[in-house]
Amino acid sequence: MASNLEDAELQRRNLVADVAHELRTPVSNIQGYLEALKDGLLQPDGATIATIHGQVIHLSHLVEDLRLLAQAEAGALKLNRTPGRMQDVLRVCVEAVRPRAEAKGITLNLEAVDLMPMVEMDGTRISQVVNNLLENAIIHTPDGGSITVSVGYSGTTGSEMVRVAVADSGPGIQSEDLARVFDRFFRADPSRARATGGVGLGLTIAKQLVEVHGGTIHVESIIPKGVRFVFELPVTPPYNPA
């Protein structure tokens, strides 16, 4: 028990330090710009205002991610579950990021069939899971690479699971990092992630949202390179292929 309490206290301290670190950067940037404006070193032109606004948006997203994560981990996140088609959710998410993928020359594929079991889910939250996985894939897939989103289902009657996979052709994840990719603020490449504006919460949030739906999520290495994120959700009982 003493060991568990010590581990919990260490995790709490690390979390507080991580949150403080992530909040400090945008706050310091905003403060620096405002002080420069106050001292007359910068002019309040469109470019300066746009930069400050971008930092505020970044800060707002971070705070919202932390709030969502705290609710999910505390079991206080309310879900609006309704029977839905996973392939419809995936199509909307894929088309939303297609322009970004094409700008990098990334081939974005969706492998889905129309005849699939219905899933009882909060469509908004599951869209957030898929968006986070796609965002991660686009960031780490090099120009000219590929991303494939696929959906299928398996299991016996009464325990069917819909399975979604997001696979990329990026550099992959070191074996020692595979177990940590869902940790809060974890970055396999800290400098690259910060350059893209990520704070290391997207995959953590995805994991929490999948688990509150009664599902599971994991990551797999792809040989010779790349990774595949896979999550599974229980289908709506009773089985209904329509």
Side-chain angles (χ1 to χ4, degrees):
M1 181 179 295
S3 177
N4 290 339
L5 289 175
E6 184 177 347
D7 290 342
E9 177 62 16
L10 178 60
Q11 291 179 11
R12 185 191 67 81
R13 291 178 180 176
N14 289 340
L15 175 59
V16 171
D18 287 339
V19 171
H21 177 75
E22 295 299 338
L23 291 173
R24 185 183 302 116
T25 299
V27 169
S28 296
N29 289 342
I30 294 169
Q31 180 181 353
Y33 272 96
L34 292 177
E35 289 177 350
L37 288 171
K38 180 182 177 182
D39 295 338
L41 300 177
L42 284 177
Q43 295 300 315
D45 54 22
T48 301
I49 293 174
T51 300
I52 297 174
H53 182 256
Q55 290 297 306
V56 172
I57 294 298
H58 175 71
L59 182 60
S60 176
H61 286 168
L62 174 57
V63 172
E64 174 59 23
D65 284 349
L66 290 169
R67 184 194 66 81
L68 175 61
L69 189 57
Q71 283 187 317
E73 291 182 339
L77 183 64
K78 295 181 180 180
L79 299 178
N80 181 25
R81 295 176 186 249
T82 57
R85 289 159 41 98
M86 181 63 73
Q87 57 270 39
D88 292 341
V89 173
L90 296 180
R91 287 192 183 101
V92 172
C93 294
V94 166
E95 292 308 313
V97 301
R98 189 175 297 280
R100 288 185 55 205
E102 291 178 347
K104 291 184 64 177
I106 296 173
T107 301
L108 184 58
N109 302 307
L110 174 60
E111 298 176 353
V113 295
D114 288 330
L115 189 62
M116 288 280 296
M118 301 285 278
V119 182
E120 186 149 329
M121 60 182 171
D122 184 323
T124 299
R125 296 306 184 186
I126 295 304
S127 293
Q128 190 171 2
V129 172
V130 178
N131 287 335
N132 285 352
L133 296 180
L134 285 171
E135 175 73 16
N136 182 75
I138 290 175
I139 289 173
H140 294 96
T141 300
D143 294 2
S146 65
I147 298 172
T148 300
V149 181
S150 58
V151 58
Y153 66 96
S154 62
T156 58
T157 302
S159 61
E160 296 91 353
M161 302 289 286
V162 165
R163 184 177 189 267
V164 176
V166 178
D168 66 60
S169 61
I173 301 175
Q174 297 296 321
S175 57
E176 61 269 22
D177 291 334
L178 283 174
R180 301 181 58 202
V181 295
F182 296 106
D183 291 352
R184 287 175 298 220
F185 300 110
F186 174 76
R187 299 181 180 89
D189 185 347
S191 61
R192 182 177 180 183
R194 274 205 181 84
T196 60
V199 296
L201 287 177
L203 295 179
T204 309
I205 290 173
K207 181 175 185 293
Q208 290 295 327
L209 292 179
V210 167
E211 290 180 350
V212 298
H213 278 82
T216 61
I217 186 170
H218 66 276
V219 60
E220 306 168 349
S221 291
I222 300 177
I223 305 299
K225 61 181 181 179
V227 295
R228 179 187 297 110
F229 285 88
V230 180
F231 70 88
E232 293 184 321
L233 298 180
V235 307
T236 303
Y239 174 75
N240 178 8

